[in-house]
Amino acid sequence: MSVEGPIGAGRVRVVLADDLALLRTGFRMVLAAEPDIDVVGEAADGDEAVRAAVRLDPDVVLMDVRMPRTDGIEATRRIVAEAPRSRVLILTTFDLDEYAFAGLRAGASGFLLKDVPPEQLVGAVRSVAAGDAVVAPRVTRRLLETFADRLPAGDDPAEHPDLAALTPRERQVLLEVAAGRSNAEIASRLVLTEATVKTHVGRILGKLGLRDRVQVVVFAFRNGLVDPGARGGG
């Protein structure tokens, strides 16, 4: 059953989706203690999560993957289609499990382990709400490397129509994002300010029609811009 709370203007609105009430309570306590975050709803299964996302228009849905009726993967897919402004943050028990990867494929903006420290949970929610850095860019890259052979083949990058719209600098930044680097790391490597990097990332997302940095990484892998077996340098 969904439980709704107050909505504060200008704050990050979160829906919690997990079939375990105790876990939802724990996440709610951590997030509600923050001055800029409101937990506006809860869901005990995937169907409730989708309905809550459509009705409440949250910034972030914290989504467990293993729930009754509709699981978190299908719920994520439906939220991306029916409530596209909401971003989904997958909750998983095991690092690099197939559920996390399936969630990213379904359109999630990142994933967290359920035993994440409170400060990392809060930081992840804020980051995903802002469409900025994924919770742990290097973890996202490692996940994609692990399951790279399961990514569907993409077009020849030289012929991809969207890539032609990127400037040379935007293409550089795209490759840095695909390597799992944060804005600060990209700024250092390309001798730019972090604000400039963030501007470039925003333009890349707009030109390629992507939601966030996770999709930039997937786009680069699918289109052969990044070697899945190569490790990003420091």
Side-chain angles (χ1 to χ4, degrees), residues 101-208:
F101 180 73
L104 296 181
R105 288 280 304 277
S109 295
F111 74 98
L112 283 177
L113 296 180
K114 283 191 174 183
D115 61 357
V116 63
E119 64 275 10
Q120 289 185 25
L121 171 66
V122 171
V125 166
R126 288 179 178 140
S127 293
V128 169
D132 198 3
V134 178
V135 179
R138 295 188 185 281
V139 172
T140 299
R141 174 170 172 76
R142 185 159 53 95
L143 180 102
L144 288 170
E145 287 171 350
T146 301
F147 296 105
D149 60 328
R150 306 183 191 188
L151 286 169
D155 301 329
D156 182 337
E159 299 177 359
H160 197 292
D162 294 330
L163 283 170
L166 300 183
T167 67
R169 178 62 88 184
E170 288 166 352
R171 186 180 289 260
Q172 280 184 304
V173 173
L174 183 150
L175 293 176
E176 294 292 327
V177 172
R181 297 190 177 98
S182 66
N183 284 353
E185 291 172 324
I186 296 171
S188 175
R189 289 173 62 86
L190 299 184
V191 195
L192 300 170
T193 66
E194 286 190 49
T196 299
V197 172
K198 189 169 184 178
T199 297
H200 283 311
V201 171
R203 288 174 178 165
I204 291 166
L205 295 177
K207 289 181 178 181
L208 299 182

Side-chain angles (χ1 to χ4, degrees), residues 61-72:
V61 179
L62 277 179
M63 179 75 75
D64 185 21
V65 291
R66 303 183 188 185
M67 293 186 292
R69 296 200 290 177
T70 299
D71 66 25

